[in-house]
Amino acid sequence: MNDTRRAVLDRLADGPVPGPALADDLGVSRNAVWKHVEALRDAGFEITSDDAGYALESVPEYGGAAVEFGLDAPFSVEYHDAVASTNCRARELARDGAADVAVLADEQTGGKGRLDREWSSPSGGVWLSLVLRPDLPPAHAPALTLAAAVAVTDAAREAGVPAQIKWPNDVLVSEASGATRESTAETESNASEETADRGGLKLAGVLTEMEGEADRVSWVVPGIGVNANVAAEALPADATSLQNEVGEIDRRAFVQRLLERFDDLRGDPEATVAAWRERSATLGQRVRVVTQNGDVVGEAVDVAVPGALIIETDEGRERVHAGDCEHLRPV
Ligand code: BT5
């Protein structure tokens, strides 16, 4: 949102203000004030005007301006009713030099998971990609993925959903937590007599993309997909949504909490990793991580800056930087 428009809203949030006073305060003409008020009305803000001046009566339920209003984090929000993928749009903005933009969509028609997997993105979700230009070496960028997972977990918990994180980027809700949908668990045997346990139903995932030189990141785009106000039937079998767990939620408040929490953490990889540990469903579990160089099986004992999983295997400790993680349990 344009700075003057944001300032108009901030002033109106404190009570009615006469047009001339508003114009003086902001150093613009009365006509300019009127234009900003009209634009805000078009964006869904209900602004009345009478003898006392302009007054803000209500804020739109959702959308870019609604999320920006009252947001305590320095993001501008570009909202789309539908877009192919918020990550693609965020990458375009990043290449044009943008920073601290949150691209938000109600629906994605071509949502992407990691490794070219599909991400179902029906209307009602929170499909969000952040354009960041951090002053970081590329090796530290994974901490931003962990920060996104922590931020989603905290916003979900605030909405009443006991979410946990599965390394590195899945936010899960344990099936024992009262999810109402029927379980469609598929178990998979292997030679070591263990079954893969999903550890819960998937509520959210993060896909981080970036570009940079060897020593400096140019931009990073964490793409965050949260099944918010979506019926479980519209999602894959192993998924759940906030709506499925606790009923429809206030997406505006949810996105604001998520952005604020992410902003608290993004400059502090140590605090991010500490917060991640506390919310982890993976630490202490026996896991199998499928990596490009083969499977690593053992007990997940720690996560280290900027996001590597430390696994105690039969051959000693291994540090895994990327891969798909399964929680294992004895048959
Ligand atoms: C992820 O991939 O978990 C990353 C998902 C990132 C999505 C966001 S939405 C905003 C931004 N724009 C995008 O286009 N993407 C990002 P991965 O770990 O690879 O998990 C993908 C797998 O999860 C799929 O193969 C399905 O099995 C499952 N899946 C697909 N859609 C799902 C959903 N909505 N909820 C839960 N699981 C889903």
Side-chain angles (χ1 to χ4, degrees), residues 127-151:
W127 320 125
L128 173 68
S129 300
L130 308 177
V131 182
L132 310 175
R133 311 192 91 83
D135 185 16
L136 278 182
H140 287 189
L144 295 169
T145 302
L146 300 195
V150 170

Side-chain angles (χ1 to χ4, degrees), residues 85-87 108 112-114 117-120 202 205 227 239:
S85 156
T86 54
N87 263 43
Q108 293 183 121
K112 296 182 303 174
R114 295 177 304 149
R117 293 189 278 240
E118 278 180 23
W119 183 258
S120 322
K202 186 157 166 173
N227 303 321

